[in-house]
Amino acid sequence: VIVVSGAPARVALTSSANPAEFSQPVTVSALVSPNSSTVHLPVPTGTVQFFDGSESLGTATLVGAGGGDATATLGTLTTLPVATHTITASYSGDPVFAPITGPPLNQVIANVATVTKVASSANPADFDQAITFTATVHQRGPATVEPTGLHDGSAALAPLKLPTGNHSVRAEYVPTGNFSESGDTLASGQEVRRALTTASISSSVNPATTAQQVTVSATVT
């Protein structure tokens, strides 16, 4: 009785982006190659099933990659949550090669990086003038989603009045979901100037005679 078992194979996982940001397209590939150089073996055929822990991510068919190797590429992933994922690939085997599961790949999915910019509706402003501060927040990386918790990517503070002087104004994005925090300080600060005034002077009698009583008034607005 002669028992012939399948030839051993190697499975190596690679990722197109590691670490990656949440929603960033990530492609995971498995390279399957003969685990022996002593004999000539055909190119591995069959399929590779990909797992995230115990959850199946999908199955891909091996395609010759040259040099006796074959590659199976999983469709682009965009829904992996923020975490470190243990990705494994299980090769189905074929008439020559035995089934095997390769070593895991730790795929890191990080929060989406954001950038915040603050702006003033009037700078400088006059005393008692209402000022509106607006913060605009966008993602600045390869992710495909925009920050949440905003209205069309921005948030505006209700109009307010500040005392005279220079004020340091800063906006900070408090992240919700899979986004990172960011902030911005208004360049050169918010200047509030003293209110402009006008003055006029008048006389009760003009011209007047010697010793005549005259009232002079000044009006400031």
Side-chain angles (χ1 to χ4, degrees):
V1 177
I2 299 176
V3 178
V4 180
S5 59
R10 291 191 302 262
V11 178
L13 278 172
T14 58
S15 169
S16 61
N18 196 10
E21 292 184 359
F22 173 73
S23 81
Q24 177 182 350
V26 177
T27 301
V28 178
S29 299
L31 179 69
V32 180
S33 56
N35 194 16
S36 174
S37 59
T38 58
V39 294
H40 177 73
L41 295 172
V43 175
T45 60
T47 61
V48 175
Q49 188 173 10
F50 297 83
F51 294 89
D52 178 8
S54 60
E55 179 183 356
S56 176
L57 296 174
T59 302
T61 302
L62 284 171
V63 177
D69 301 332
T71 300
T73 301
L74 189 63
T76 304
L77 301 173
T78 58
T79 59
L80 291 176
V82 174
T84 298
H85 300 264
T86 302
I87 309 296
T88 55
S90 181
Y91 171 48
S92 65
D94 63 10
V96 175
F97 294 96
I100 187 174
T101 298
L105 168 72
N106 290 325
Q107 174 67 54
V108 177
I109 303 296
N111 285 330
V112 178
T114 65
V115 59
T116 297
K117 185 66 177 177
V118 64
S120 168
S121 62
N123 197 12
D126 292 327
F127 176 74
D128 204 40
Q129 180 179 353
I131 307 169
T132 300
F133 294 106
T134 303
T136 304
V137 185
H138 294 292
Q139 61 96 350
R140 60 178 178 83
T144 58
V145 294
E146 289 293 338
T148 56
L150 305 162
H151 180 69
D152 293 333
S154 65
L157 192 65
L160 51 81
K161 298 176 182 180
L162 296 174
T164 57
N166 190 278
H167 303 267
S168 177
V169 178
R170 180 172 176 81
E172 292 188 355
Y173 172 59
V174 180
T176 57
N178 300 304
F179 299 89
S180 64
E181 62 183 15
S182 60
D184 182 46
T185 300
L186 191 65
S188 301
Q190 173 67 52
E191 182 183 356
V192 179
R193 303 174 298 194
R194 294 179 179 178
L196 300 176
T197 61
T198 59
S200 61
I201 191 169
S202 61
S203 171
S204 60
V205 180
N206 193 11
T209 59
T210 301
Q212 182 178 357
Q213 187 176 31
V214 178
T215 300
V216 178
S217 301
T219 302
V220 181
T221 57

